[in-house]
Amino acid sequence: MAERDPILIVGGGLGGLTTALSLARRGWPTRVLEGAPQFGAIGYGIQFGPNVFHVFDRLGLSEQVGAIADFPAALSMMDALSGKELIHIPTGASFRARFKYPYIVVHRIDVHNILLDACRRTAAIELVSDALVTSFHDQGDGVTVETKDGRTFSGAAIVAADGLSSLFRAKLIGDGDPRPSGYVAFRTIVPMAEVKTDVSRDIVALWGGPGLHIVHYPLRGGTEFNIVAVFRTATHSERGDPAAYRAELESAYRDVHPAARALIGLLDMRWRRAVSDREPARHWHKGRVVLLGDSAHAPLQSLAQGAGMAIEDGLCLGELISATDGDFTSAFRQFEAARLIRTARVQLESRAIWDFYHLDAGVARDVRNATIADWDEAHLFDCLAWLYDGAVLPGVKAL
Ligand SMILES: Cc1cc2nc3c(=O)[nH]c(=O)nc-3n(C[C@H](O)[C@H](O)[C@H](O)COP(=O)(O)OP(=O)(O)OC[C@H]3O[C@@H](n4cnc5c(N)ncnc54)[C@H](O)[C@@H]3O)c2cc1C
């Protein structure tokens, strides 16, 4: 086989690393350019539905991921004001029988390290950190990128896995900044021993209330507890000091059920982010450049599937580049066709669910609660099947 130019992957997040592994198993060399000083991840929890295991299986990583995961007993939605459970999705034996794979929660660093170690063991993957890409050129028969510190890298094509505020999306789609939701998020991990309040520790729990929610679940064999608090605020795009953040949180959650409200006191005031997503859009590719993961289709986190979609993308794109023998125009066109509807549905349903969680007291909320009271396990599984059954990967031959 003639030596191939590497494919440049911009961004060493979960999407970029999965793409590198997917290409490498078909013999394609890649160079992953990460802007941060080191490859790594922000240290918080992440949920994965069973759909992601279709990808981990193909990459031979399911066992390793399973070994560092926690397996929650259920996904549960509570009314944040009354504490009443509204939805209960068991994720034990019946869930596995239906969806073949489990629902897991993991420390993002742990899963990132599994992918990174697999990349480091693969000669065809070169990892370059401290390489913030600031510009790129498509010469028709190849590509180059420049980094902030003046280096130039060339390759056969560019996979832009550069996240929510993608430089490449700005050039290819040009639809401006991410869409602010008007909400902010706080995320914290604490030792389980510090959780004194009476909340379930072995499930993924979501407490939804007017303009706010709290999510919590266990990590690392139940020794740690991940808490995310999200609420609507006029100050979502502003920065403040910890005292101002604390006062705003206490006010936002004042009417919340005491068991959940007690978790607010455990939050770290140093990590606060405005919550944003992207409008579903076509035209993810131009010439030898293609968007992947959040740069193409960032959702709100209500379905907990943004990283799952980036990982599915990575496998799909790698397979299509290989199946077309490096005909990038054809591979990128097929990639967008294969992934657009599924990822746009995640974006749109995530917005609908976001609103559904956050209803103010009133008729709409009463209708929601009355409707979901009739949903049994079989109905909930049917509603989730389009997502949890996994992606269809057209034109992909099995290894
Ligand atoms: C509060 C919260 C909770 C979430 N929970 C879940 C969950 O439970 N499950 C789930 O599936 N998803 C979840 N998500 C979504 C998930 O985090 C993202 O969808 C996922 O990280 C996208 O992966 P990515 O590889 O596309 O981009 P990213 O993870 O954003 O990675 C992009 C990488 O590119 C690098 N980069 C950016 N620009 C450049 C550049 N110019 N040059 C070089 N490198 C660059 C960045 O440093 C980064 O490493 C959550 C998101 C939030 C905010």
Side-chain angles (χ1 to χ4, degrees), residues 136-138 143 156-160 168 172 284-291 328 332:
F136 64 96
H137 305 280
D138 180 346
V143 294
I158 297 172
V159 178
F168 290 84
L172 266 62
W284 300 353
H285 59 98
K286 190 171 179 199
R288 289 177 173 254
V289 183
V290 66
L291 308 178
F328 295 108
F332 294 170

mmCIF file with all atom_site columns, all heavy atoms in Angstrom, residues 136-138 143 156-160 168 172 284-291 328 332:
data_model
loop_
_atom_site.group_PDB
_atom_site.id
_atom_site.type_symbol
_atom_site.label_atom_id
_atom_site.label_alt_id
_atom_site.label_comp_id
_atom_site.label_asym_id
_atom_site.label_entity_id
_atom_site.label_seq_id
_atom_site.pdbx_PDB_ins_code
_atom_site.Cartn_x
_atom_site.Cartn_y
_atom_site.Cartn_z
_atom_site.occupancy
_atom_site.B_iso_or_equiv
_atom_site.pdbx_formal_charge
_atom_site.auth_seq_id
_atom_site.auth_comp_id
_atom_site.auth_asym_id
_atom_site.auth_atom_id
_atom_site.pdbx_PDB_model_num
ATOM 1   N N   . PHE A 1 136 ? -6.656  27.647 8.173  1.00 0.00 ? 136 PHE A N   1
ATOM 2   C CA  . PHE A 1 136 ? -6.453  26.435 7.365  1.00 0.00 ? 136 PHE A CA  1
ATOM 3   C C   . PHE A 1 136 ? -6.614  26.782 5.890  1.00 0.00 ? 136 PHE A C   1
ATOM 4   O O   . PHE A 1 136 ? -7.239  27.790 5.536  1.00 0.00 ? 136 PHE A O   1
ATOM 5   C CB  . PHE A 1 136 ? -7.451  25.340 7.775  1.00 0.00 ? 136 PHE A CB  1
ATOM 6   C CG  . PHE A 1 136 ? -8.899  25.683 7.514  1.00 0.00 ? 136 PHE A CG  1
ATOM 7   C CD1 . PHE A 1 136 ? -9.536  25.264 6.353  1.00 0.00 ? 136 PHE A CD1 1
ATOM 8   C CD2 . PHE A 1 136 ? -9.622  26.438 8.422  1.00 0.00 ? 136 PHE A CD2 1
ATOM 9   C CE1 . PHE A 1 136 ? -10.866 25.580 6.111  1.00 0.00 ? 136 PHE A CE1 1
ATOM 10  C CE2 . PHE A 1 136 ? -10.949 26.762 8.190  1.00 0.00 ? 136 PHE A CE2 1
ATOM 11  C CZ  . PHE A 1 136 ? -11.575 26.332 7.034  1.00 0.00 ? 136 PHE A CZ  1
ATOM 12  N N   . HIS A 1 137 ? -6.051  25.921 5.049  1.00 0.00 ? 137 HIS A N   1
ATOM 13  C CA  . HIS A 1 137 ? -6.154  26.109 3.598  1.00 0.00 ? 137 HIS A CA  1
ATOM 14  C C   . HIS A 1 137 ? -6.422  24.770 2.953  1.00 0.00 ? 137 HIS A C   1
ATOM 15  O O   . HIS A 1 137 ? -5.802  23.764 3.317  1.00 0.00 ? 137 HIS A O   1
ATOM 16  C CB  . HIS A 1 137 ? -4.855  26.691 3.033  1.00 0.00 ? 137 HIS A CB  1
ATOM 17  C CG  . HIS A 1 137 ? -4.456  27.953 3.710  1.00 0.00 ? 137 HIS A CG  1
ATOM 18  N ND1 . HIS A 1 137 ? -5.014  29.175 3.399  1.00 0.00 ? 137 HIS A ND1 1
ATOM 19  C CD2 . HIS A 1 137 ? -3.592  28.178 4.735  1.00 0.00 ? 137 HIS A CD2 1
ATOM 20  C CE1 . HIS A 1 137 ? -4.500  30.096 4.191  1.00 0.00 ? 137 HIS A CE1 1
ATOM 21  N NE2 . HIS A 1 137 ? -3.639  29.527 5.018  1.00 0.00 ? 137 HIS A NE2 1
ATOM 22  N N   . ASP A 1 138 ? -7.310  24.790 1.982  1.00 0.00 ? 138 ASP A N   1
ATOM 23  C CA  . ASP A 1 138 ? -7.610  23.588 1.198  1.00 0.00 ? 138 ASP A CA  1
ATOM 24  C C   . ASP A 1 138 ? -7.057  23.849 -0.196 1.00 0.00 ? 138 ASP A C   1
ATOM 25  O O   . ASP A 1 138 ? -7.565  24.710 -0.926 1.00 0.00 ? 138 ASP A O   1
ATOM 26  C CB  . ASP A 1 138 ? -9.134  23.390 1.186  1.00 0.00 ? 138 ASP A CB  1
ATOM 27  C CG  . ASP A 1 138 ? -9.543  22.151 0.400  1.00 0.00 ? 138 ASP A CG  1
ATOM 28  O OD1 . ASP A 1 138 ? -8.707  21.603 -0.346 1.00 0.00 ? 138 ASP A OD1 1
ATOM 29  O OD2 . ASP A 1 138 ? -10.705 21.746 0.540  1.00 0.00 ? 138 ASP A OD2 1
ATOM 30  N N   . VAL A 1 143 ? -4.321  19.618 2.299  1.00 0.00 ? 143 VAL A N   1
ATOM 31  C CA  . VAL A 1 143 ? -4.698  20.710 3.206  1.00 0.00 ? 143 VAL A CA  1
ATOM 32  C C   . VAL A 1 143 ? -3.500  21.111 4.062  1.00 0.00 ? 143 VAL A C   1
ATOM 33  O O   . VAL A 1 143 ? -2.584  20.314 4.271  1.00 0.00 ? 143 VAL A O   1
ATOM 34  C CB  . VAL A 1 143 ? -5.843  20.287 4.154  1.00 0.00 ? 143 VAL A CB  1
ATOM 35  C CG1 . VAL A 1 143 ? -7.134  20.025 3.398  1.00 0.00 ? 143 VAL A CG1 1
ATOM 36  C CG2 . VAL A 1 143 ? -5.442  19.062 4.980  1.00 0.00 ? 143 VAL A CG2 1
ATOM 37  N N   . ALA A 1 156 ? -3.949  15.121 4.191  1.00 0.00 ? 156 ALA A N   1
ATOM 38  C CA  . ALA A 1 156 ? -4.836  14.801 3.071  1.00 0.00 ? 156 ALA A CA  1
ATOM 39  C C   . ALA A 1 156 ? -6.185  15.492 3.206  1.00 0.00 ? 156 ALA A C   1
ATOM 40  O O   . ALA A 1 156 ? -6.823  15.836 2.204  1.00 0.00 ? 156 ALA A O   1
ATOM 41  C CB  . ALA A 1 156 ? -5.043  13.289 3.017  1.00 0.00 ? 156 ALA A CB  1
ATOM 42  N N   . ALA A 1 157 ? -6.652  15.680 4.458  1.00 0.00 ? 157 ALA A N   1
ATOM 43  C CA  . ALA A 1 157 ? -7.981  16.271 4.701  1.00 0.00 ? 157 ALA A CA  1
ATOM 44  C C   . ALA A 1 157 ? -8.030  16.716 6.154  1.00 0.00 ? 157 ALA A C   1
ATOM 45  O O   . ALA A 1 157 ? -7.141  16.365 6.947  1.00 0.00 ? 157 ALA A O   1
ATOM 46  C CB  . ALA A 1 157 ? -9.065  15.228 4.429  1.00 0.00 ? 157 ALA A CB  1
ATOM 47  N N   . ILE A 1 158 ? -9.071  17.494 6.482  1.00 0.00 ? 158 ILE A N   1
ATOM 48  C CA  . ILE A 1 158 ? -9.233  17.963 7.864  1.00 0.00 ? 158 ILE A CA  1
ATOM 49  C C   . ILE A 1 158 ? -10.565 17.470 8.417  1.00 0.00 ? 158 ILE A C   1
ATOM 50  O O   . ILE A 1 158 ? -11.620 17.672 7.796  1.00 0.00 ? 158 ILE A O   1
ATOM 51  C CB  . ILE A 1 158 ? -9.228  19.515 7.943  1.00 0.00 ? 158 ILE A CB  1
ATOM 52  C CG1 . ILE A 1 158 ? -7.890  20.068 7.468  1.00 0.00 ? 158 ILE A CG1 1
ATOM 53  C CG2 . ILE A 1 158 ? -9.548  19.989 9.361  1.00 0.00 ? 158 ILE A CG2 1
ATOM 54  C CD1 . ILE A 1 158 ? -7.867  21.602 7.336  1.00 0.00 ? 158 ILE A CD1 1
ATOM 55  N N   . VAL A 1 159 ? -10.508 16.861 9.599  1.00 0.00 ? 159 VAL A N   1
ATOM 56  C CA  . VAL A 1 159 ? -11.721 16.557 10.359 1.00 0.00 ? 159 VAL A CA  1
ATOM 57  C C   . VAL A 1 159 ? -11.755 17.565 11.509 1.00 0.00 ? 159 VAL A C   1
ATOM 58  O O   . VAL A 1 159 ? -10.881 17.548 12.380 1.00 0.00 ? 159 VAL A O   1
ATOM 59  C CB  . VAL A 1 159 ? -11.698 15.118 10.915 1.00 0.00 ? 159 VAL A CB  1
ATOM 60  C CG1 . VAL A 1 159 ? -12.944 14.853 11.747 1.00 0.00 ? 159 VAL A CG1 1
ATOM 61  C CG2 . VAL A 1 159 ? -11.571 14.104 9.777  1.00 0.00 ? 159 VAL A CG2 1
ATOM 62  N N   . ALA A 1 160 ? -12.735 18.450 11.492 1.00 0.00 ? 160 ALA A N   1
ATOM 63  C CA  . ALA A 1 160 ? -12.816 19.512 12.498 1.00 0.00 ? 160 ALA A CA  1
ATOM 64  C C   . ALA A 1 160 ? -13.683 19.043 13.653 1.00 0.00 ? 160 ALA A C   1
ATOM 65  O O   . ALA A 1 160 ? -14.912 19.147 13.624 1.00 0.00 ? 160 ALA A O   1
ATOM 66  C CB  . ALA A 1 160 ? -13.383 20.776 11.876 1.00 0.00 ? 160 ALA A CB  1
ATOM 67  N N   . PHE A 1 168 ? -13.885 26.102 12.551 1.00 0.00 ? 168 PHE A N   1
ATOM 68  C CA  . PHE A 1 168 ? -14.196 25.575 11.215 1.00 0.00 ? 168 PHE A CA  1
ATOM 69  C C   . PHE A 1 168 ? -15.667 25.763 10.876 1.00 0.00 ? 168 PHE A C   1
ATOM 70  O O   . PHE A 1 168 ? -16.016 26.023 9.728  1.00 0.00 ? 168 PHE A O   1
ATOM 71  C CB  . PHE A 1 168 ? -13.790 24.095 11.138 1.00 0.00 ? 168 PHE A CB  1
ATOM 72  C CG  . PHE A 1 168 ? -12.305 23.920 11.137 1.00 0.00 ? 168 PHE A CG  1
ATOM 73  C CD1 . PHE A 1 168 ? -11.592 23.899 12.325 1.00 0.00 ? 168 PHE A CD1 1
ATOM 74  C CD2 . PHE A 1 168 ? -11.614 23.826 9.955  1.00 0.00 ? 168 PHE A CD2 1
ATOM 75  C CE1 . PHE A 1 168 ? -10.221 23.765 12.324 1.00 0.00 ? 168 PHE A CE1 1
ATOM 76  C CE2 . PHE A 1 168 ? -10.229 23.693 9.940  1.00 0.00 ? 168 PHE A CE2 1
ATOM 77  C CZ  . PHE A 1 168 ? -9.532  23.664 11.135 1.00 0.00 ? 168 PHE A CZ  1
ATOM 78  N N   . LEU A 1 172 ? -17.240 27.271 7.499  1.00 0.00 ? 172 LEU A N   1
ATOM 79  C CA  . LEU A 1 172 ? -18.035 26.427 6.595  1.00 0.00 ? 172 LEU A CA  1
ATOM 80  C C   . LEU A 1 172 ? -19.520 26.799 6.622  1.00 0.00 ? 172 LEU A C   1
ATOM 81  O O   . LEU A 1 172 ? -20.181 26.824 5.589  1.00 0.00 ? 172 LEU A O   1
ATOM 82  C CB  . LEU A 1 172 ? -17.889 24.942 6.958  1.00 0.00 ? 172 LEU A CB  1
ATOM 83  C CG  . LEU A 1 172 ? -16.803 24.176 6.200  1.00 0.00 ? 172 LEU A CG  1
ATOM 84  C CD1 . LEU A 1 172 ? -15.425 24.737 6.465  1.00 0.00 ? 172 LEU A CD1 1
ATOM 85  C CD2 . LEU A 1 172 ? -16.832 22.699 6.546  1.00 0.00 ? 172 LEU A CD2 1
ATOM 86  N N   . TRP A 1 284 ? -22.045 20.367 6.294  1.00 0.00 ? 284 TRP A N   1
ATOM 87  C CA  . TRP A 1 284 ? -20.960 20.139 7.256  1.00 0.00 ? 284 TRP A CA  1
ATOM 88  C C   . TRP A 1 284 ? -19.609 20.023 6.573  1.00 0.00 ? 284 TRP A C   1
ATOM 89  O O   . TRP A 1 284 ? -18.595 19.858 7.263  1.00 0.00 ? 284 TRP A O   1
ATOM 90  C CB  . TRP A 1 284 ? -21.175 18.823 8.015  1.00 0.00 ? 284 TRP A CB  1
ATOM 91  C CG  . TRP A 1 284 ? -22.424 18.705 8.804  1.00 0.00 ? 284 TRP A CG  1
ATOM 92  C CD1 . TRP A 1 284 ? -23.366 19.664 9.061  1.00 0.00 ? 284 TRP A CD1 1
ATOM 93  C CD2 . TRP A 1 284 ? -22.876 17.525 9.478  1.00 0.00 ? 284 TRP A CD2 1
ATOM 94  N NE1 . TRP A 1 284 ? -24.367 19.149 9.842  1.00 0.00 ? 284 TRP A NE1 1
ATOM 95  C CE2 . TRP A 1 284 ? -24.095 17.841 10.105 1.00 0.00 ? 284 TRP A CE2 1
ATOM 96  C CE3 . TRP A 1 284 ? -22.370 16.232 9.609  1.00 0.00 ? 284 TRP A CE3 1
ATOM 97  C CZ2 . TRP A 1 284 ? -24.822 16.906 10.859 1.00 0.00 ? 284 TRP A CZ2 1
ATOM 98  C CZ3 . TRP A 1 284 ? -23.077 15.302 10.359 1.00 0.00 ? 284 TRP A CZ3 1
ATOM 99  C CH2 . TRP A 1 284 ? -24.292 15.637 10.977 1.00 0.00 ? 284 TRP A CH2 1
ATOM 100 N N   . HIS A 1 285 ? -19.591 20.009 5.262  1.00 0.00 ? 285 HIS A N   1
ATOM 101 C CA  . HIS A 1 285 ? -18.311 19.757 4.588  1.00 0.00 ? 285 HIS A CA  1
ATOM 102 C C   . HIS A 1 285 ? -18.149 20.658 3.377  1.00 0.00 ? 285 HIS A C   1
ATOM 103 O O   . HIS A 1 285 ? -19.129 21.093 2.759  1.00 0.00 ? 285 HIS A O   1
ATOM 104 C CB  . HIS A 1 285 ? -18.203 18.293 4.165  1.00 0.00 ? 285 HIS A CB  1
ATOM 105 C CG  . HIS A 1 285 ? -19.295 17.860 3.232  1.00 0.00 ? 285 HIS A CG  1
ATOM 106 N ND1 . HIS A 1 285 ? -19.145 17.810 1.873  1.00 0.00 ? 285 HIS A ND1 1
ATOM 107 C CD2 . HIS A 1 285 ? -20.571 17.476 3.481  1.00 0.00 ? 285 HIS A CD2 1
ATOM 108 C CE1 . HIS A 1 285 ? -20.268 17.391 1.328  1.00 0.00 ? 285 HIS A CE1 1
ATOM 109 N NE2 . HIS A 1 285 ? -21.159 17.189 2.269  1.00 0.00 ? 285 HIS A NE2 1
ATOM 110 N N   . LYS A 1 286 ? -16.888 20.916 3.080  1.00 0.00 ? 286 LYS A N   1
ATOM 111 C CA  . LYS A 1 286 ? -16.550 21.683 1.884  1.00 0.00 ? 286 LYS A CA  1
ATOM 112 C C   . LYS A 1 286 ? -15.167 21.207 1.462  1.00 0.00 ? 286 LYS A C   1
ATOM 113 O O   . LYS A 1 286 ? -14.227 21.237 2.272  1.00 0.00 ? 286 LYS A O   1
ATOM 114 C CB  . LYS A 1 286 ? -16.536 23.179 2.209  1.00 0.00 ? 286 LYS A CB  1
ATOM 115 C CG  . LYS A 1 286 ? -16.421 24.031 0.981  1.00 0.00 ? 286 LYS A CG  1
ATOM 116 C CD  . LYS A 1 286 ? -16.635 25.503 1.316  1.00 0.00 ? 286 LYS A CD  1
ATOM 117 C CE  . LYS A 1 286 ? -16.471 26.303 0.036  1.00 0.00 ? 286 LYS A CE  1
ATOM 118 N NZ  . LYS A 1 286 ? -16.229 27.696 0.269  1.00 0.00 ? 286 LYS A NZ  1
ATOM 119 N N   . GLY A 1 287 ? -15.047 20.756 0.211  1.00 0.00 ? 287 GLY A N   1
ATOM 120 C CA  . GLY A 1 287 ? -13.752 20.278 -0.264 1.00 0.00 ? 287 GLY A CA  1
ATOM 121 C C   . GLY A 1 287 ? -13.217 19.183 0.624  1.00 0.00 ? 287 GLY A C   1
ATOM 122 O O   . GLY A 1 287 ? -13.874 18.167 0.833  1.00 0.00 ? 287 GLY A O   1
ATOM 123 N N   . ARG A 1 288 ? -12.052 19.393 1.191  1.00 0.00 ? 288 ARG A N   1
ATOM 124 C CA  . ARG A 1 288 ? -11.388 18.375 2.012  1.00 0.00 ? 288 ARG A CA  1
ATOM 125 C C   . ARG A 1 288 ? -11.558 18.619 3.519  1.00 0.00 ? 288 ARG A C   1
ATOM 126 O O   . ARG A 1 288 ? -10.755 18.132 4.324  1.00 0.00 ? 288 ARG A O   1
ATOM 127 C CB  . ARG A 1 288 ? -9.899  18.327 1.654  1.00 0.00 ? 288 ARG A CB  1
ATOM 128 C CG  . ARG A 1 288 ? -9.662  17.717 0.287  1.00 0.00 ? 288 ARG A CG  1
ATOM 129 C CD  . ARG A 1 288 ? -8.219  17.733 -0.112 1.00 0.00 ? 288 ARG A CD  1
ATOM 130 N NE  . ARG A 1 288 ? -8.064  16.972 -1.351 1.00 0.00 ? 288 ARG A NE  1
ATOM 131 C CZ  . ARG A 1 288 ? -7.533  15.752 -1.443 1.00 0.00 ? 288 ARG A CZ  1
ATOM 132 N NH1 . ARG A 1 288 ? -7.022  15.173 -0.380 1.00 0.00 ? 288 ARG A NH1 1
ATOM 133 N NH2 . ARG A 1 288 ? -7.467  15.134 -2.599 1.00 0.00 ? 288 ARG A NH2 1
ATOM 134 N N   . VAL A 1 289 ? -12.576 19.391 3.893  1.00 0.00 ? 289 VAL A N   1
ATOM 135 C CA  . VAL A 1 289 ? -12.784 19.718 5.312  1.00 0.00 ? 289 VAL A CA  1
ATOM 136 C C   . VAL A 1 289 ? -14.184 19.270 5.731  1.00 0.00 ? 289 VAL A C   1
ATOM 137 O O   . VAL A 1 289 ? -15.158 19.513 5.009  1.00 0.00 ? 289 VAL A O   1
ATOM 138 C CB  . VAL A 1 289 ? -12.661 21.239 5.542  1.00 0.00 ? 289 VAL A CB  1
ATOM 139 C CG1 . VAL A 1 289 ? -12.798 21.575 7.025  1.00 0.00 ? 289 VAL A CG1 1
ATOM 140 C CG2 . VAL A 1 289 ? -11.343 21.765 4.987  1.00 0.00 ? 289 VAL A CG2 1
ATOM 141 N N   . VAL A 1 290 ? -14.281 18.636 6.903  1.00 0.00 ? 290 VAL A N   1
ATOM 142 C CA  . VAL A 1 290 ? -15.591 18.200 7.395  1.00 0.00 ? 290 VAL A CA  1
ATOM 143 C C   . VAL A 1 290 ? -15.705 18.458 8.897  1.00 0.00 ? 290 VAL A C   1
ATOM 144 O O   . VAL A 1 290 ? -14.722 18.339 9.634  1.00 0.00 ? 290 VAL A O   1
ATOM 145 C CB  . VAL A 1 290 ? -15.821 16.695 7.075  1.00 0.00 ? 290 VAL A CB  1
ATOM 146 C CG1 . VAL A 1 290 ? -14.854 15.800 7.841  1.00 0.00 ? 290 VAL A CG1 1
ATOM 147 C CG2 . VAL A 1 290 ? -17.258 16.280 7.345  1.00 0.00 ? 290 VAL A CG2 1
ATOM 148 N N   . LEU A 1 291 ? -16.901 18.859 9.322  1.00 0.00 ? 291 LEU A N   1
ATOM 149 C CA  . LEU A 1 291 ? -17.176 19.057 10.754 1.00 0.00 ? 291 LEU A CA  1
ATOM 150 C C   . LEU A 1 291 ? -17.635 17.738 11.368 1.00 0.00 ? 291 LEU A C   1
ATOM 151 O O   . LEU A 1 291 ? -18.308 16.941 10.701 1.00 0.00 ? 291 LEU A O   1
ATOM 152 C CB  . LEU A 1 291 ? -18.295 20.089 10.942 1.00 0.00 ? 291 LEU A CB  1
ATOM 153 C CG  . LEU A 1 291 ? -18.142 21.433 10.245 1.00 0.00 ? 291 LEU A CG  1
ATOM 154 C CD1 . LEU A 1 291 ? -19.376 22.308 10.507 1.00 0.00 ? 291 LEU A CD1 1
ATOM 155 C CD2 . LEU A 1 291 ? -16.897 22.147 10.745 1.00 0.00 ? 291 LEU A CD2 1
ATOM 156 N N   . PHE A 1 328 ? -12.679 11.860 -0.534 1.00 0.00 ? 328 PHE A N   1
ATOM 157 C CA  . PHE A 1 328 ? -13.226 12.652 0.572  1.00 0.00 ? 328 PHE A CA  1
ATOM 158 C C   . PHE A 1 328 ? -14.566 13.296 0.223  1.00 0.00 ? 328 PHE A C   1
ATOM 159 O O   . PHE A 1 328 ? -15.452 13.385 1.068  1.00 0.00 ? 328 PHE A O   1
ATOM 160 C CB  . PHE A 1 328 ? -12.196 13.698 1.032  1.00 0.00 ? 328 PHE A CB  1
ATOM 161 C CG  . PHE A 1 328 ? -10.969 13.072 1.627  1.00 0.00 ? 328 PHE A CG  1
ATOM 162 C CD1 . PHE A 1 328 ? -9.760  13.076 0.953  1.00 0.00 ? 328 PHE A CD1 1
ATOM 163 C CD2 . PHE A 1 328 ? -11.042 12.429 2.847  1.00 0.00 ? 328 PHE A CD2 1
ATOM 164 C CE1 . PHE A 1 328 ? -8.638  12.461 1.490  1.00 0.00 ? 328 PHE A CE1 1
ATOM 165 C CE2 . PHE A 1 328 ? -9.921  11.808 3.407  1.00 0.00 ? 328 PHE A CE2 1
ATOM 166 C CZ  . PHE A 1 328 ? -8.714  11.824 2.712  1.00 0.00 ? 328 PHE A CZ  1
ATOM 167 N N   . PHE A 1 332 ? -17.505 12.437 2.712  1.00 0.00 ? 332 PHE A N   1
ATOM 168 C CA  . PHE A 1 332 ? -18.096 13.501 3.535  1.00 0.00 ? 332 PHE A CA  1
ATOM 169 C C   . PHE A 1 332 ? -19.586 13.662 3.207  1.00 0.00 ? 332 PHE A C   1
ATOM 170 O O   . PHE A 1 332 ? -20.397 13.921 4.094  1.00 0.00 ? 332 PHE A O   1
ATOM 171 C CB  . PHE A 1 332 ? -17.347 14.819 3.326  1.00 0.00 ? 332 PHE A CB  1
ATOM 172 C CG  . PHE A 1 332 ? -15.906 14.807 3.815  1.00 0.00 ? 332 PHE A CG  1
ATOM 173 C CD1 . PHE A 1 332 ? -15.043 15.857 3.513  1.00 0.00 ? 332 PHE A CD1 1
ATOM 174 C CD2 . PHE A 1 332 ? -15.418 13.753 4.577  1.00 0.00 ? 332 PHE A CD2 1
ATOM 175 C CE1 . PHE A 1 332 ? -13.719 15.854 3.961  1.00 0.00 ? 332 PHE A CE1 1
ATOM 176 C CE2 . PHE A 1 332 ? -14.094 13.737 5.029  1.00 0.00 ? 332 PHE A CE2 1
ATOM 177 C CZ  . PHE A 1 332 ? -13.242 14.790 4.704  1.00 0.00 ? 332 PHE A CZ  1
#
